[in-house]
Amino acid sequence: MRASLLALAVGAFGIGTTEFVIVGLLPEVADDLSVSIPSAGMLVTGYALGVVVGAPLMTAAGARLPRKTMLVVLMAIFIAGNLLCALAGDYASLMGGRLIAALTHGAFFGIGSVVAADLVAPDRRASAIALMFTGLTLANVLGVPLGTFLGQEFGWRSTFWAVTAIGVLGLLALLTLVPAQPAPERGALRGELAVFRRPQVWLALATTVLGFGGVFASFTYLAPMMTELAGFSDGAVAWLLVLFGAGLCVGNVLGGRAADRALMPSLYLILGGLSLVLVVFTFTSRAALPAAVTLAAFGAIGFATVPPLQARVMQQAAGAPALASAANIAAFNLGNALGAWLGGLAVAHGLGWTAPTWIGAGLAAAGLGTAALSGRLDRRGGARPALPDKAHLAEPQPVPAQLPAPGVAYGTHPIVEQKSR
């Protein structure tokens, strides 16, 4: 079954690459399409909003289809979206292609994690899901930097041609390597809707939106900040993204370990640390070496937020695997959209390239506030709900520390059982 898991990993690699590669190509896209960099930054916001809408809708739409069939359909839509990006002659066409590709994001990771778990024995499910999400890790460490380099050397459209080719490869792999999968049981989706009556679920989702919004407010405008303020060349941006990707992998592992030991204290500490690092980044971004060091720290602390944020949502949404998974992915991407939009708004109003990072610090602090409120409600209400024994079969959650940790997918991480249960 390892080949089947690798097929899922190829799809994850393509989706992860197309989401974030635009960050390193904002100057090229803006120059070629004759738009401002803040307008080009809206391509990040647009994709994120597409995930927000697409995650629950596509999950619901495929509720009665066999899982393999749904994955094939999603990958075909992903290919079409990136093909439109590669052929785009204007800003509107590029945005349209991004939105089409984004519709597949949340459902692919949610359904793919279920398929990965079903392919192996019960005692190997966490490892199987982690192998699938290795594609997402590689997208952040290799796919995004290489895509940035390709776009800078041969034009940004070449990057989307490459991602389209990866999508075709992923589609063929799914068709030939993944065995037939059963359709979900009827009525399951209706039962999962009840979990959203819990106020703590919405508070956990709000923490995700604000906390991760702080990451993307700054990350979206990383390329112009590093070239305009820190003095790096355009060609150095790809290597800076490698540095950032290395930091996020380390942070994801450490964040997972911390969340296993003490979920809420870890969440408080990490969100507070993120706000502090972003404040520091506003000062160190004006010199090359301090900027590079802080960037690595930013990647680590920024993505250390993912495991505890993910675990908190799934803890409060116990009993709603597929839909809660999609909602959590949507929450991360709503944070992406909010951060990118606010950062672009600040730049467009002449507040400078450090303004998005200040905004990120404020959003992270706001996320800390909602987390503190949620923790206070926990103490008033007694014990928190525990995850059901089989929750990890369908819900994305933090990867175990000893396994390769996926990157940003901003919350699309496989679920493992929490020690705090």
PDB file of all heavy atoms in Angstrom, residues 19-20 41 44-49 51-52 105 208-210 212-217 220 303 329-342 408-410:
ATOM      1  N   GLU A  19      -0.412  26.708  -3.481  1.00  0.00           N
ATOM      2  CA  GLU A  19      -0.939  27.686  -2.536  1.00  0.00           C
ATOM      3  C   GLU A  19       0.077  28.757  -2.185  1.00  0.00           C
ATOM      4  O   GLU A  19      -0.213  29.947  -2.216  1.00  0.00           O
ATOM      5  CB  GLU A  19      -1.405  27.002  -1.259  1.00  0.00           C
ATOM      6  CG  GLU A  19      -1.914  28.010  -0.250  1.00  0.00           C
ATOM      7  CD  GLU A  19      -2.469  27.374   1.004  1.00  0.00           C
ATOM      8  OE1 GLU A  19      -2.146  26.211   1.271  1.00  0.00           O
ATOM      9  OE2 GLU A  19      -3.223  28.055   1.716  1.00  0.00           O
ATOM     10  N   PHE A  20       1.305  28.351  -1.857  1.00  0.00           N
ATOM     11  CA  PHE A  20       2.255  29.282  -1.282  1.00  0.00           C
ATOM     12  C   PHE A  20       3.291  29.829  -2.242  1.00  0.00           C
ATOM     13  O   PHE A  20       3.985  30.785  -1.927  1.00  0.00           O
ATOM     14  CB  PHE A  20       2.967  28.619  -0.089  1.00  0.00           C
ATOM     15  CG  PHE A  20       2.023  28.241   0.995  1.00  0.00           C
ATOM     16  CD1 PHE A  20       1.789  26.913   1.294  1.00  0.00           C
ATOM     17  CD2 PHE A  20       1.342  29.208   1.713  1.00  0.00           C
ATOM     18  CE1 PHE A  20       0.895  26.559   2.295  1.00  0.00           C
ATOM     19  CE2 PHE A  20       0.453  28.870   2.710  1.00  0.00           C
ATOM     20  CZ  PHE A  20       0.226  27.538   3.001  1.00  0.00           C
ATOM     21  N   GLY A  41      -0.962  40.605  -3.917  1.00  0.00           N
ATOM     22  CA  GLY A  41      -1.134  39.898  -2.657  1.00  0.00           C
ATOM     23  C   GLY A  41      -2.538  39.372  -2.454  1.00  0.00           C
ATOM     24  O   GLY A  41      -2.750  38.395  -1.718  1.00  0.00           O
ATOM     25  N   VAL A  44      -3.213  35.681  -2.810  1.00  0.00           N
ATOM     26  CA  VAL A  44      -3.122  34.845  -1.613  1.00  0.00           C
ATOM     27  C   VAL A  44      -4.461  34.834  -0.891  1.00  0.00           C
ATOM     28  O   VAL A  44      -4.981  33.792  -0.494  1.00  0.00           O
ATOM     29  CB  VAL A  44      -2.004  35.345  -0.680  1.00  0.00           C
ATOM     30  CG1 VAL A  44      -1.961  34.522   0.608  1.00  0.00           C
ATOM     31  CG2 VAL A  44      -0.654  35.310  -1.385  1.00  0.00           C
ATOM     32  N   THR A  45      -5.029  36.030  -0.721  1.00  0.00           N
ATOM     33  CA  THR A  45      -6.331  36.151  -0.060  1.00  0.00           C
ATOM     34  C   THR A  45      -7.411  35.388  -0.827  1.00  0.00           C
ATOM     35  O   THR A  45      -8.225  34.671  -0.233  1.00  0.00           O
ATOM     36  CB  THR A  45      -6.730  37.630   0.056  1.00  0.00           C
ATOM     37  OG1 THR A  45      -5.743  38.325   0.807  1.00  0.00           O
ATOM     38  CG2 THR A  45      -8.080  37.776   0.730  1.00  0.00           C
ATOM     39  N   GLY A  46      -7.425  35.547  -2.148  1.00  0.00           N
ATOM     40  CA  GLY A  46      -8.432  34.881  -2.963  1.00  0.00           C
ATOM     41  C   GLY A  46      -8.358  33.369  -2.841  1.00  0.00           C
ATOM     42  O   GLY A  46      -9.388  32.689  -2.716  1.00  0.00           O
ATOM     43  N   TYR A  47      -7.141  32.826  -2.870  1.00  0.00           N
ATOM     44  CA  TYR A  47      -6.978  31.375  -2.728  1.00  0.00           C
ATOM     45  C   TYR A  47      -7.496  30.921  -1.371  1.00  0.00           C
ATOM     46  O   TYR A  47      -8.227  29.919  -1.268  1.00  0.00           O
ATOM     47  CB  TYR A  47      -5.505  30.990  -2.889  1.00  0.00           C
ATOM     48  CG  TYR A  47      -5.275  29.498  -2.896  1.00  0.00           C
ATOM     49  CD1 TYR A  47      -5.144  28.805  -4.094  1.00  0.00           C
ATOM     50  CD2 TYR A  47      -5.203  28.771  -1.707  1.00  0.00           C
ATOM     51  CE1 TYR A  47      -4.937  27.424  -4.113  1.00  0.00           C
ATOM     52  CE2 TYR A  47      -5.006  27.399  -1.712  1.00  0.00           C
ATOM     53  CZ  TYR A  47      -4.870  26.735  -2.918  1.00  0.00           C
ATOM     54  OH  TYR A  47      -4.676  25.368  -2.927  1.00  0.00           O
ATOM     55  N   ALA A  48      -7.118  31.655  -0.340  1.00  0.00           N
ATOM     56  CA  ALA A  48      -7.537  31.273   1.008  1.00  0.00           C
ATOM     57  C   ALA A  48      -9.055  31.287   1.142  1.00  0.00           C
ATOM     58  O   ALA A  48      -9.651  30.392   1.747  1.00  0.00           O
ATOM     59  CB  ALA A  48      -6.904  32.211   2.029  1.00  0.00           C
ATOM     60  N   LEU A  49      -9.693  32.298   0.576  1.00  0.00           N
ATOM     61  CA  LEU A  49     -11.154  32.363   0.634  1.00  0.00           C
ATOM     62  C   LEU A  49     -11.778  31.227  -0.177  1.00  0.00           C
ATOM     63  O   LEU A  49     -12.844  30.696   0.191  1.00  0.00           O
ATOM     64  CB  LEU A  49     -11.647  33.714   0.115  1.00  0.00           C
ATOM     65  CG  LEU A  49     -11.338  34.916   1.010  1.00  0.00           C
ATOM     66  CD1 LEU A  49     -11.794  36.208   0.347  1.00  0.00           C
ATOM     67  CD2 LEU A  49     -12.009  34.761   2.380  1.00  0.00           C
ATOM     68  N   VAL A  51     -10.534  28.261  -0.389  1.00  0.00           N
ATOM     69  CA  VAL A  51     -10.459  27.095   0.497  1.00  0.00           C
ATOM     70  C   VAL A  51     -11.556  27.161   1.550  1.00  0.00           C
ATOM     71  O   VAL A  51     -12.191  26.157   1.878  1.00  0.00           O
ATOM     72  CB  VAL A  51      -9.075  27.000   1.166  1.00  0.00           C
ATOM     73  CG1 VAL A  51      -9.030  25.823   2.142  1.00  0.00           C
ATOM     74  CG2 VAL A  51      -7.982  26.849   0.124  1.00  0.00           C
ATOM     75  N   VAL A  52     -11.785  28.366   2.092  1.00  0.00           N
ATOM     76  CA  VAL A  52     -12.827  28.543   3.111  1.00  0.00           C
ATOM     77  C   VAL A  52     -14.179  28.089   2.577  1.00  0.00           C
ATOM     78  O   VAL A  52     -14.940  27.382   3.256  1.00  0.00           O
ATOM     79  CB  VAL A  52     -12.888  30.014   3.567  1.00  0.00           C
ATOM     80  CG1 VAL A  52     -14.099  30.245   4.471  1.00  0.00           C
ATOM     81  CG2 VAL A  52     -11.609  30.396   4.308  1.00  0.00           C
ATOM     82  N   HIS A 105      -8.791  22.137  -2.200  1.00  0.00           N
ATOM     83  CA  HIS A 105      -7.763  22.017  -1.166  1.00  0.00           C
ATOM     84  C   HIS A 105      -8.252  21.271   0.081  1.00  0.00           C
ATOM     85  O   HIS A 105      -7.708  20.240   0.474  1.00  0.00           O
ATOM     86  CB  HIS A 105      -7.275  23.423  -0.804  1.00  0.00           C
ATOM     87  CG  HIS A 105      -6.131  23.454   0.136  1.00  0.00           C
ATOM     88  ND1 HIS A 105      -4.913  24.023  -0.191  1.00  0.00           N
ATOM     89  CD2 HIS A 105      -5.998  23.025   1.412  1.00  0.00           C
ATOM     90  CE1 HIS A 105      -4.099  23.920   0.833  1.00  0.00           C
ATOM     91  NE2 HIS A 105      -4.742  23.313   1.830  1.00  0.00           N
ATOM     92  N   THR A 208      -7.992  30.037  15.805  1.00  0.00           N
ATOM     93  CA  THR A 208      -7.238  29.631  14.626  1.00  0.00           C
ATOM     94  C   THR A 208      -7.160  30.757  13.600  1.00  0.00           C
ATOM     95  O   THR A 208      -6.094  31.052  13.055  1.00  0.00           O
ATOM     96  CB  THR A 208      -7.892  28.392  13.984  1.00  0.00           C
ATOM     97  OG1 THR A 208      -7.811  27.293  14.891  1.00  0.00           O
ATOM     98  CG2 THR A 208      -7.195  28.006  12.694  1.00  0.00           C
ATOM     99  N   VAL A 209      -8.297  31.385  13.322  1.00  0.00           N
ATOM    100  CA  VAL A 209      -8.337  32.467  12.336  1.00  0.00           C
ATOM    101  C   VAL A 209      -7.388  33.593  12.731  1.00  0.00           C
ATOM    102  O   VAL A 209      -6.571  34.060  11.919  1.00  0.00           O
ATOM    103  CB  VAL A 209      -9.768  33.009  12.176  1.00  0.00           C
ATOM    104  CG1 VAL A 209      -9.777  34.278  11.324  1.00  0.00           C
ATOM    105  CG2 VAL A 209     -10.673  31.957  11.549  1.00  0.00           C
ATOM    106  N   LEU A 210      -7.466  34.054  13.968  1.00  0.00           N
ATOM    107  CA  LEU A 210      -6.655  35.190  14.412  1.00  0.00           C
ATOM    108  C   LEU A 210      -5.189  34.807  14.565  1.00  0.00           C
ATOM    109  O   LEU A 210      -4.293  35.535  14.115  1.00  0.00           O
ATOM    110  CB  LEU A 210      -7.206  35.725  15.731  1.00  0.00           C
ATOM    111  CG  LEU A 210      -8.597  36.370  15.651  1.00  0.00           C
ATOM    112  CD1 LEU A 210      -9.130  36.637  17.052  1.00  0.00           C
ATOM    113  CD2 LEU A 210      -8.546  37.653  14.842  1.00  0.00           C
ATOM    114  N   PHE A 212      -3.389  32.287  13.207  1.00  0.00           N
ATOM    115  CA  PHE A 212      -2.677  32.027  11.961  1.00  0.00           C
ATOM    116  C   PHE A 212      -2.756  33.198  11.009  1.00  0.00           C
ATOM    117  O   PHE A 212      -1.916  33.342  10.120  1.00  0.00           O
ATOM    118  CB  PHE A 212      -3.206  30.758  11.301  1.00  0.00           C
ATOM    119  CG  PHE A 212      -2.147  30.051  10.516  1.00  0.00           C
ATOM    120  CD1 PHE A 212      -1.101  29.417  11.163  1.00  0.00           C
ATOM    121  CD2 PHE A 212      -2.173  30.033   9.144  1.00  0.00           C
ATOM    122  CE1 PHE A 212      -0.098  28.784  10.447  1.00  0.00           C
ATOM    123  CE2 PHE A 212      -1.187  29.394   8.410  1.00  0.00           C
ATOM    124  CZ  PHE A 212      -0.143  28.770   9.071  1.00  0.00           C
ATOM    125  N   GLY A 213      -3.773  34.052  11.188  1.00  0.00           N
ATOM    126  CA  GLY A 213      -3.805  35.289  10.418  1.00  0.00           C
ATOM    127  C   GLY A 213      -2.575  36.139  10.683  1.00  0.00           C
ATOM    128  O   GLY A 213      -2.073  36.841   9.797  1.00  0.00           O
ATOM    129  N   GLY A 214      -2.067  36.077  11.915  1.00  0.00           N
ATOM    130  CA  GLY A 214      -0.850  36.802  12.258  1.00  0.00           C
ATOM    131  C   GLY A 214       0.348  36.335  11.450  1.00  0.00           C
ATOM    132  O   GLY A 214       1.213  37.139  11.070  1.00  0.00           O
ATOM    133  N   VAL A 215       0.412  35.025  11.167  1.00  0.00           N
ATOM    134  CA  VAL A 215       1.511  34.496  10.357  1.00  0.00           C
ATOM    135  C   VAL A 215       1.445  35.049   8.938  1.00  0.00           C
ATOM    136  O   VAL A 215       2.428  35.537   8.385  1.00  0.00           O
ATOM    137  CB  VAL A 215       1.461  32.956  10.331  1.00  0.00           C
ATOM    138  CG1 VAL A 215       2.528  32.401   9.386  1.00  0.00           C
ATOM    139  CG2 VAL A 215       1.653  32.385  11.735  1.00  0.00           C
ATOM    140  N   PHE A 216       0.263  35.019   8.340  1.00  0.00           N
ATOM    141  CA  PHE A 216       0.154  35.374   6.928  1.00  0.00           C
ATOM    142  C   PHE A 216       0.150  36.869   6.670  1.00  0.00           C
ATOM    143  O   PHE A 216       0.433  37.297   5.555  1.00  0.00           O
ATOM    144  CB  PHE A 216      -1.077  34.713   6.305  1.00  0.00           C
ATOM    145  CG  PHE A 216      -0.711  33.491   5.531  1.00  0.00           C
ATOM    146  CD1 PHE A 216      -0.309  32.355   6.189  1.00  0.00           C
ATOM    147  CD2 PHE A 216      -0.718  33.503   4.157  1.00  0.00           C
ATOM    148  CE1 PHE A 216       0.066  31.235   5.488  1.00  0.00           C
ATOM    149  CE2 PHE A 216      -0.340  32.391   3.436  1.00  0.00           C
ATOM    150  CZ  PHE A 216       0.055  31.241   4.101  1.00  0.00           C
ATOM    151  N   ALA A 217      -0.174  37.660   7.649  1.00  0.00           N
ATOM    152  CA  ALA A 217      -0.077  39.104   7.453  1.00  0.00           C
ATOM    153  C   ALA A 217       1.345  39.487   7.064  1.00  0.00           C
ATOM    154  O   ALA A 217       1.574  40.305   6.173  1.00  0.00           O
ATOM    155  CB  ALA A 217      -0.496  39.839   8.720  1.00  0.00           C
ATOM    156  N   THR A 220       2.942  36.895   3.671  1.00  0.00           N
ATOM    157  CA  THR A 220       2.495  37.225   2.314  1.00  0.00           C
ATOM    158  C   THR A 220       3.408  38.246   1.641  1.00  0.00           C
ATOM    159  O   THR A 220       3.669  38.173   0.435  1.00  0.00           O
ATOM    160  CB  THR A 220       1.057  37.767   2.359  1.00  0.00           C
ATOM    161  OG1 THR A 220       0.203  36.764   2.906  1.00  0.00           O
ATOM    162  CG2 THR A 220       0.571  38.146   0.959  1.00  0.00           C
ATOM    163  N   PHE A 303       4.731  28.217  12.740  1.00  0.00           N
ATOM    164  CA  PHE A 303       4.117  26.931  12.462  1.00  0.00           C
ATOM    165  C   PHE A 303       4.097  26.007  13.668  1.00  0.00           C
ATOM    166  O   PHE A 303       3.497  24.928  13.611  1.00  0.00           O
ATOM    167  CB  PHE A 303       4.782  26.293  11.251  1.00  0.00           C
ATOM    168  CG  PHE A 303       4.346  26.977   9.994  1.00  0.00           C
ATOM    169  CD1 PHE A 303       4.975  28.133   9.560  1.00  0.00           C
ATOM    170  CD2 PHE A 303       3.273  26.511   9.275  1.00  0.00           C
ATOM    171  CE1 PHE A 303       4.553  28.800   8.425  1.00  0.00           C
ATOM    172  CE2 PHE A 303       2.836  27.166   8.136  1.00  0.00           C
ATOM    173  CZ  PHE A 303       3.481  28.309   7.705  1.00  0.00           C
ATOM    174  N   ILE A 329      -9.720  23.467   8.403  1.00  0.00           N
ATOM    175  CA  ILE A 329      -8.942  23.910   7.246  1.00  0.00           C
ATOM    176  C   ILE A 329      -9.437  25.265   6.770  1.00  0.00           C
ATOM    177  O   ILE A 329      -8.667  26.162   6.433  1.00  0.00           O
ATOM    178  CB  ILE A 329      -9.021  22.864   6.128  1.00  0.00           C
ATOM    179  CG1 ILE A 329      -8.347  21.562   6.572  1.00  0.00           C
ATOM    180  CG2 ILE A 329      -8.363  23.373   4.852  1.00  0.00           C
ATOM    181  CD1 ILE A 329      -8.610  20.387   5.664  1.00  0.00           C
ATOM    182  N   ALA A 330     -10.764  25.421   6.753  1.00  0.00           N
ATOM    183  CA  ALA A 330     -11.344  26.704   6.362  1.00  0.00           C
ATOM    184  C   ALA A 330     -10.922  27.805   7.311  1.00  0.00           C
ATOM    185  O   ALA A 330     -10.628  28.934   6.890  1.00  0.00           O
ATOM    186  CB  ALA A 330     -12.864  26.589   6.326  1.00  0.00           C
ATOM    187  N   ALA A 331     -10.856  27.517   8.609  1.00  0.00           N
ATOM    188  CA  ALA A 331     -10.466  28.527   9.595  1.00  0.00           C
ATOM    189  C   ALA A 331      -9.027  28.976   9.388  1.00  0.00           C
ATOM    190  O   ALA A 331      -8.719  30.174   9.455  1.00  0.00           O
ATOM    191  CB  ALA A 331     -10.644  27.976  11.014  1.00  0.00           C
ATOM    192  N   PHE A 332      -8.132  28.039   9.127  1.00  0.00           N
ATOM    193  CA  PHE A 332      -6.747  28.413   8.849  1.00  0.00           C
ATOM    194  C   PHE A 332      -6.672  29.312   7.628  1.00  0.00           C
ATOM    195  O   PHE A 332      -5.942  30.309   7.607  1.00  0.00           O
ATOM    196  CB  PHE A 332      -5.888  27.170   8.640  1.00  0.00           C
ATOM    197  CG  PHE A 332      -5.317  26.595   9.900  1.00  0.00           C
ATOM    198  CD1 PHE A 332      -5.960  25.569  10.560  1.00  0.00           C
ATOM    199  CD2 PHE A 332      -4.143  27.084  10.437  1.00  0.00           C
ATOM    200  CE1 PHE A 332      -5.437  25.029  11.722  1.00  0.00           C
ATOM    201  CE2 PHE A 332      -3.608  26.560  11.603  1.00  0.00           C
ATOM    202  CZ  PHE A 332      -4.262  25.520  12.251  1.00  0.00           C
ATOM    203  N   ASN A 333      -7.422  28.977   6.609  1.00  0.00           N
ATOM    204  CA  ASN A 333      -7.348  29.758   5.384  1.00  0.00           C
ATOM    205  C   ASN A 333      -8.083  31.078   5.474  1.00  0.00           C
ATOM    206  O   ASN A 333      -7.724  32.037   4.791  1.00  0.00           O
ATOM    207  CB  ASN A 333      -7.852  28.920   4.211  1.00  0.00           C
ATOM    208  CG  ASN A 333      -6.802  27.938   3.743  1.00  0.00           C
ATOM    209  OD1 ASN A 333      -5.964  28.267   2.922  1.00  0.00           O
ATOM    210  ND2 ASN A 333      -6.817  26.738   4.309  1.00  0.00           N
ATOM    211  N   LEU A 334      -9.098  31.150   6.309  1.00  0.00           N
ATOM    212  CA  LEU A 334      -9.713  32.436   6.570  1.00  0.00           C
ATOM    213  C   LEU A 334      -8.709  33.355   7.265  1.00  0.00           C
ATOM    214  O   LEU A 334      -8.636  34.560   6.972  1.00  0.00           O
ATOM    215  CB  LEU A 334     -10.962  32.261   7.438  1.00  0.00           C
ATOM    216  CG  LEU A 334     -11.773  33.535   7.708  1.00  0.00           C
ATOM    217  CD1 LEU A 334     -12.208  34.195   6.401  1.00  0.00           C
ATOM    218  CD2 LEU A 334     -12.987  33.214   8.577  1.00  0.00           C
ATOM    219  N   GLY A 335      -7.906  32.776   8.153  1.00  0.00           N
ATOM    220  CA  GLY A 335      -6.816  33.549   8.755  1.00  0.00           C
ATOM    221  C   GLY A 335      -5.807  34.002   7.719  1.00  0.00           C
ATOM    222  O   GLY A 335      -5.333  35.139   7.750  1.00  0.00           O
ATOM    223  N   ASN A 336      -5.477  33.103   6.775  1.00  0.00           N
ATOM    224  CA  ASN A 336      -4.572  33.482   5.683  1.00  0.00           C
ATOM    225  C   ASN A 336      -5.115  34.678   4.913  1.00  0.00           C
ATOM    226  O   ASN A 336      -4.395  35.640   4.616  1.00  0.00           O
ATOM    227  CB  ASN A 336      -4.410  32.316   4.704  1.00  0.00           C
ATOM    228  CG  ASN A 336      -3.763  31.100   5.329  1.00  0.00           C
ATOM    229  OD1 ASN A 336      -3.359  31.120   6.494  1.00  0.00           O
ATOM    230  ND2 ASN A 336      -3.687  30.038   4.573  1.00  0.00           N
ATOM    231  N   ALA A 337      -6.412  34.598   4.577  1.00  0.00           N
ATOM    232  CA  ALA A 337      -7.034  35.673   3.796  1.00  0.00           C
ATOM    233  C   ALA A 337      -7.075  36.980   4.581  1.00  0.00           C
ATOM    234  O   ALA A 337      -6.770  38.050   4.043  1.00  0.00           O
ATOM    235  CB  ALA A 337      -8.451  35.258   3.396  1.00  0.00           C
ATOM    236  N   LEU A 338      -7.446  36.892   5.845  1.00  0.00           N
ATOM    237  CA  LEU A 338      -7.538  38.086   6.683  1.00  0.00           C
ATOM    238  C   LEU A 338      -6.178  38.754   6.832  1.00  0.00           C
ATOM    239  O   LEU A 338      -6.047  39.982   6.664  1.00  0.00           O
ATOM    240  CB  LEU A 338      -8.097  37.707   8.055  1.00  0.00           C
ATOM    241  CG  LEU A 338      -8.184  38.843   9.085  1.00  0.00           C
ATOM    242  CD1 LEU A 338      -9.198  39.892   8.643  1.00  0.00           C
ATOM    243  CD2 LEU A 338      -8.545  38.282  10.464  1.00  0.00           C
ATOM    244  N   GLY A 339      -5.156  37.969   7.130  1.00  0.00           N
ATOM    245  CA  GLY A 339      -3.826  38.536   7.308  1.00  0.00           C
ATOM    246  C   GLY A 339      -3.293  39.169   6.038  1.00  0.00           C
ATOM    247  O   GLY A 339      -2.767  40.285   6.054  1.00  0.00           O
ATOM    248  N   ALA A 340      -3.437  38.446   4.905  1.00  0.00           N
ATOM    249  CA  ALA A 340      -2.951  38.978   3.631  1.00  0.00           C
ATOM    250  C   ALA A 340      -3.688  40.255   3.253  1.00  0.00           C
ATOM    251  O   ALA A 340      -3.088  41.220   2.759  1.00  0.00           O
ATOM    252  CB  ALA A 340      -3.103  37.929   2.531  1.00  0.00           C
ATOM    253  N   TRP A 341      -4.996  40.292   3.479  1.00  0.00           N
ATOM    254  CA  TRP A 341      -5.797  41.469   3.114  1.00  0.00           C
ATOM    255  C   TRP A 341      -5.429  42.672   3.981  1.00  0.00           C
ATOM    256  O   TRP A 341      -5.213  43.780   3.463  1.00  0.00           O
ATOM    257  CB  TRP A 341      -7.279  41.154   3.270  1.00  0.00           C
ATOM    258  CG  TRP A 341      -8.155  42.351   3.026  1.00  0.00           C
ATOM    259  CD1 TRP A 341      -8.370  42.982   1.837  1.00  0.00           C
ATOM    260  CD2 TRP A 341      -8.913  43.081   4.011  1.00  0.00           C
ATOM    261  NE1 TRP A 341      -9.227  44.056   2.008  1.00  0.00           N
ATOM    262  CE2 TRP A 341      -9.569  44.132   3.322  1.00  0.00           C
ATOM    263  CE3 TRP A 341      -9.111  42.921   5.378  1.00  0.00           C
ATOM    264  CZ2 TRP A 341     -10.406  45.031   3.999  1.00  0.00           C
ATOM    265  CZ3 TRP A 341      -9.944  43.813   6.050  1.00  0.00           C
ATOM    266  CH2 TRP A 341     -10.575  44.862   5.349  1.00  0.00           C
ATOM    267  N   LEU A 342      -5.324  42.482   5.282  1.00  0.00           N
ATOM    268  CA  LEU A 342      -4.976  43.595   6.164  1.00  0.00           C
ATOM    269  C   LEU A 342      -3.570  44.100   5.892  1.00  0.00           C
ATOM    270  O   LEU A 342      -3.316  45.313   5.896  1.00  0.00           O
ATOM    271  CB  LEU A 342      -5.110  43.165   7.624  1.00  0.00           C
ATOM    272  CG  LEU A 342      -6.533  42.934   8.141  1.00  0.00           C
ATOM    273  CD1 LEU A 342      -6.498  42.414   9.576  1.00  0.00           C
ATOM    274  CD2 LEU A 342      -7.354  44.219   8.065  1.00  0.00           C
ATOM    275  N   VAL A 408       2.988  24.176   6.240  1.00  0.00           N
ATOM    276  CA  VAL A 408       1.866  25.031   6.451  1.00  0.00           C
ATOM    277  C   VAL A 408       0.534  24.566   6.015  1.00  0.00           C
ATOM    278  O   VAL A 408      -0.411  25.230   6.290  1.00  0.00           O
ATOM    279  CB  VAL A 408       2.043  26.267   5.694  1.00  0.00           C
ATOM    280  CG1 VAL A 408       1.044  26.567   5.836  1.00  0.00           C
ATOM    281  CG2 VAL A 408       1.443  27.069   5.355  1.00  0.00           C
ATOM    282  N   ALA A 409       0.343  23.979   5.501  1.00  0.00           N
ATOM    283  CA  ALA A 409      -1.056  23.681   5.212  1.00  0.00           C
ATOM    284  C   ALA A 409      -1.915  24.052   6.311  1.00  0.00           C
ATOM    285  O   ALA A 409      -2.966  23.529   6.543  1.00  0.00           O
ATOM    286  CB  ALA A 409      -1.307  22.393   4.885  1.00  0.00           C
ATOM    287  N   TYR A 410      -1.291  24.952   7.116  1.00  0.00           N
ATOM    288  CA  TYR A 410      -2.176  25.751   7.932  1.00  0.00           C
ATOM    289  C   TYR A 410      -3.281  24.903   8.442  1.00  0.00           C
ATOM    290  O   TYR A 410      -4.437  25.187   8.265  1.00  0.00           O
ATOM    291  CB  TYR A 410      -2.783  26.866   7.118  1.00  0.00           C
ATOM    292  CG  TYR A 410      -2.881  26.278   5.730  1.00  0.00           C
ATOM    293  CD1 TYR A 410      -3.184  25.148   5.261  1.00  0.00           C
ATOM    294  CD2 TYR A 410      -2.475  26.623   4.772  1.00  0.00           C
ATOM    295  CE1 TYR A 410      -3.230  24.597   3.963  1.00  0.00           C
ATOM    296  CE2 TYR A 410      -2.658  25.887   3.492  1.00  0.00           C
ATOM    297  CZ  TYR A 410      -3.011  25.008   3.271  1.00  0.00           C
ATOM    298  OH  TYR A 410      -3.224  24.462   2.086  1.00  0.00           O
TER     299      TYR A 410
END
